Amino acid sequence: MTAPQEWLSYPDAPRIGATPPGPKSRELLAQQAAWESEAVVYPKYFPIAVREARGATIEDVDGNRYIDWVSGVSVLNLGHRHPRLRAALDHQADRIWHSLELPTEARIGFLRELRSVLPGTLRDRARVLFTVTGGDSVETAVNLADFAKKRHGVIAFSGAYHGVHGGAANLTSGRKYRQTSSFHGGKVVRVPYPDPYRPILDPDGGVAGTIRFLEHLMNDPYSGVDEVSSVLVEPILGEGGYVVPPDDFLPALREFCDRHDLLLIMDEIQTGLGRTGKMWATEHAGVTPDILCIAKTIGGGIPVSMVAYRDNLAPELPAGFHLGTYRGNPLALAVGTEVIKILKEEEWIGRVARVGPKLLKRFQEIASSHPSIGHVRGRGFMIGIEFVQGGAERGPWGERAKAMRREMFGRGLLMHTCGPSDQVLRFIGPLITEDELLDRGVAIFEETLTALDTGPTLSTPARRGVPGIPPPEHPPGPHILPPTHPLPAPPPPGRSLP
Ligand SMILES: Cc1ncc(COP(=O)(O)O)c(C=O)c1O
């Protein structure tokens, strides 16, 4: 166990004094509700106003302290306000904050560090194009693939989440801006992601059916697909439910791309930078993408993103191919350089590779005596716990996962849902979460699960509403609408699943 004085987190978390939301939180939440758009989502899940945060914990304005297993959805792999990141930010704040694309020491230092940790043959041989958000990075990757291949269209997967702000180019009038945007009438061919728990094309939980279907799309003149430039994939589905595909999926996809002269775009926005126990999730499969999308943790909490791509991919990329005033912000890049150095120099990724499987096993052991959990899967510190109902049917039970989220919040543990019906609770704690906090979090998870499974209702403080905003009761998932038809049934019990 780490000695408390070495902790990055508040050692006494969780500490729930004033019933959340406490009076100060309620006041700020009410003002937010009055002045900000109704479109905000997270205050509906976790109705508190935040005062400050440290490591894997946050403190609300009423003094309650929570274990943070949301991590800004994988933005905070190194936790909140890591001392080395703060020092890097302070250092840069004394120099320059904005320089458009003019080189700064921060920018060049960042490029050097990033290139040194890229996967496979991209290492030290990639070019980098800066963007601002994750969605921006994915759009740019697809535009780049279309430009490089002189074809227009991308194969993407069901369950995928790549961001929402495609379409801005449709509103910009200059032809020169629109002609490099695939999202101006962009063409997407959708293929089911190979989900071993709820298979669609591969009832045996493999990938042969998925690859057969992809071949059909390319080879059959009646498939309805004219031409595409690329395949866009998440190595593990993030918002789609923390679905870990079979081990041979990414290698088979790489071969498929090579057979058909397509570019492989890997979206590592949620999986990258140590989250799965390697720097990049694609490294588990030994696959090098042609284009890699990077965001979230790379800025340690400061918005910055980028694509890294094979240096011979598009040698004649015109100046201004992609634009954006804030791309490559020096403050973010100074922090980003330090993020990479910490991941290289300190033991966090190795620890995730060691501790992640143990945590997975603990969640699986807990699940074995709780039929409300149908499947526990994951890699490293990216673990999905899927709630099911309906006996052998095992239909997705989003209401139970959301009830867990609400009740755990009242006990001081922040954990978020994902999946098409919000039926998956995800463990996505910072890589630096202290052992003791992992134990406390798992204990809260188990205690809440037992309480929900054995009692018809619970009345924890988290159920209280806030004046001016609707109570945190089952708000819709932020990204994925529930399916209008039941998901396919999982394989019969007894079949081993990854
Ligand atoms: C895999 C993946 N791609 C892209 C995005 C979009 O990133 P952003 O919200 O920064 O646009 C996300 C966000 O959750 C993501 O998880």
Side-chain angles (χ1 to χ4, degrees):
M1 195 185 110
T2 327
Q5 65 273 18
E6 295 165 17
W7 279 40
L8 294 173
S9 309
Y10 299 115
D12 61 350
R15 187 186 78 182
I16 302 296
T19 301
K24 290 184 184 156
S25 281
R26 291 161 77 82
E27 201 182 311
L28 293 179
L29 284 163
Q31 280 171 2
Q32 179 183 41
W35 295 338
E36 218 179 305
S37 155
E38 287 95 339
V40 297
V41 287
Y42 290 100
K44 292 173 182 141
Y45 307 145
F46 309 112
I48 46 168
V50 182
R51 176 156 59 206
E52 60 169 62
R54 266 199 222 171
T57 48
I58 67 175
E59 185 180 76
D60 73 18
V61 287
D62 296 289
N64 293 316
R65 290 181 173 174
Y66 305 81
I67 300 174
D68 179 3
W69 280 0
V70 179
S71 300
V73 192
S74 213
V75 165
L76 300 160
N77 285 7
L78 293 174
H80 294 271
R81 296 194 302 133
H82 189 289
R84 284 182 61 178
L85 301 189
R86 287 171 63 185
L89 183 61
D90 284 351
H91 178 83
Q92 187 60 33
D94 279 341
R95 282 158 181 78
I96 182 163
W97 294 22
H98 184 83
S99 71
L100 292 170
E101 293 163 318
L102 301 182
T104 55
E105 285 176 9
R107 195 175 187 105
I108 302 307
F110 175 83
L111 288 167
R112 185 179 305 114
E113 283 301 327
L114 178 70
R115 292 173 87 251
S116 78
V117 294
L118 289 174
T121 50
L122 284 182
R123 187 158 305 172
D124 291 321
R125 289 194 17 213
R127 282 188 179 273
V128 173
L129 205 168
F130 285 112
T131 48
V132 181
T133 67
D136 188 10
S137 144
V138 175
E139 283 187 19
T140 305
V142 173
N143 289 337
L144 189 59
D146 282 6
F147 181 87
K149 287 296 170 197
K150 313 253 176 300
R151 289 179 231 137
H152 184 56
V154 58
I155 295 174
F157 290 88
S158 56
Y161 182 76
H162 299 293
V164 292
H165 54 100
N170 285 329
L171 300 169
T172 300
S173 61
R175 203 170 283 156
K176 72 170 181 172
Y177 297 113
R178 283 184 288 123
Q179 69 194 5
T180 54
S181 172
S182 289
F183 294 84
H184 174 57
K187 194 170 84 187
V188 179
V189 181
R190 197 67 66 176
V191 173
Y193 195 85
D195 176 349
Y197 187 57
R198 298 186 184 279
I200 293 179
L201 296 174
D202 291 282
D204 62 352
V207 297
T210 303
I211 300 300
R212 211 164 34 244
F213 185 68
L214 286 164
E215 289 292 348
H216 149 77
L217 292 180
M218 299 303 292
N219 297 331
D220 184 342
Y222 277 54
S223 74
V225 175
D226 300 327
E227 55 166 31
V228 288
S229 66
S230 50
V231 175
L232 167 65
V233 69
E234 289 165 88
I236 295 175
L237 279 192
E239 301 308 298
Y242 277 30
V243 173
V244 184
D247 287 345
D248 47 351
F249 174 52
L250 294 179
L253 209 53
R254 178 70 270 179
E255 283 171 24
F256 167 77
C257 287
D258 293 343
R259 261 195 311 279
H260 294 280
D261 187 31
L262 303 175
L263 297 174
L264 181 60
I265 306 172
M266 199 80 77
D267 178 346
E268 288 255 22
I269 287 168
Q270 190 158 161
T271 51
L273 297 155
R275 169 66 45 203
T276 67
K278 288 201 184 277
M279 186 65 85
W280 309 102
T282 190
E283 289 174 315
H284 292 283
V287 166
T288 305
D290 301 292
I291 307 177
L292 181 68
C293 300
I294 307 166
K296 293 195 187 262
T297 281
I298 196 67
I302 305 191
V304 67
S305 67
M306 63 223 57
V307 293
Y309 60 98
R310 242 192 315 115
D311 57 5
N312 58 354
L313 195 72
E316 286 166 23
L317 212 56
F321 174 81
H322 185 67
L323 294 172
T325 314
Y326 291 112
R327 292 169 308 130
N329 172 271
L331 295 168
L333 295 184
V335 172
T337 306
E338 203 61 18
V339 166
I340 299 170
K341 283 186 178 164
I342 294 172
L343 289 173
K344 272 164 71 173
E345 292 163 14
E346 300 186 5
E347 44 104 297
W348 302 117
I349 297 183
R351 174 172 181 262
V352 167
R354 264 192 334 275
V355 175
K358 291 184 193 154
L359 259 179
L360 181 72
K361 196 155 162 263
R362 279 171 76 186
F363 282 119
Q364 284 169 336
E365 279 162 9
I366 294 170
S368 67
S369 52
H370 289 271
S372 56
I373 297 178
H375 195 213
V376 180
R377 67 261 175 163
R379 196 157 247 164
F381 273 21
M382 189 170 183
I383 297 175
I385 301 144
E386 175 156 353
F387 285 80
V388 295
Q389 61 181 340
E393 290 279 306
R394 290 191 277 171
W397 199 6
E399 293 310 310
R400 176 47 61 95
K402 288 187 281 191
M404 283 288 293
R405 178 178 65 198
R406 190 176 59 235
E407 301 297 341
M408 290 190 298
F409 161 69
R411 291 167 158 82
L413 175 64
L414 307 186
M415 225 175 155
H416 196 22
T417 57
C418 58
S421 302
D422 264 333
Q423 80 275 23
V424 180
L425 265 183
R426 49 178 145 173
F427 166 74
I428 185 172
L431 319 186
I432 52 84
T433 311
E434 291 82 357
D435 289 346
E436 175 81 28
L437 281 188
L438 291 175
D439 289 343
R440 288 182 209 161
V442 172
I444 293 172
F445 175 89
E446 186 168 16
E447 164 198 311
T448 312
L449 182 65
T450 305
L452 279 176
D453 277 357
T454 53
T457 49
L458 273 180
S459 174
T460 64
R463 287 236 165 141
R464 286 171 45 183
V466 177
I469 65 167
E473 297 289 326
H474 313 311
H479 309 308
I480 299 169
L481 297 173
T484 52
H485 58 83
L487 292 173
R495 168 114 62 73
S496 65
L497 291 161

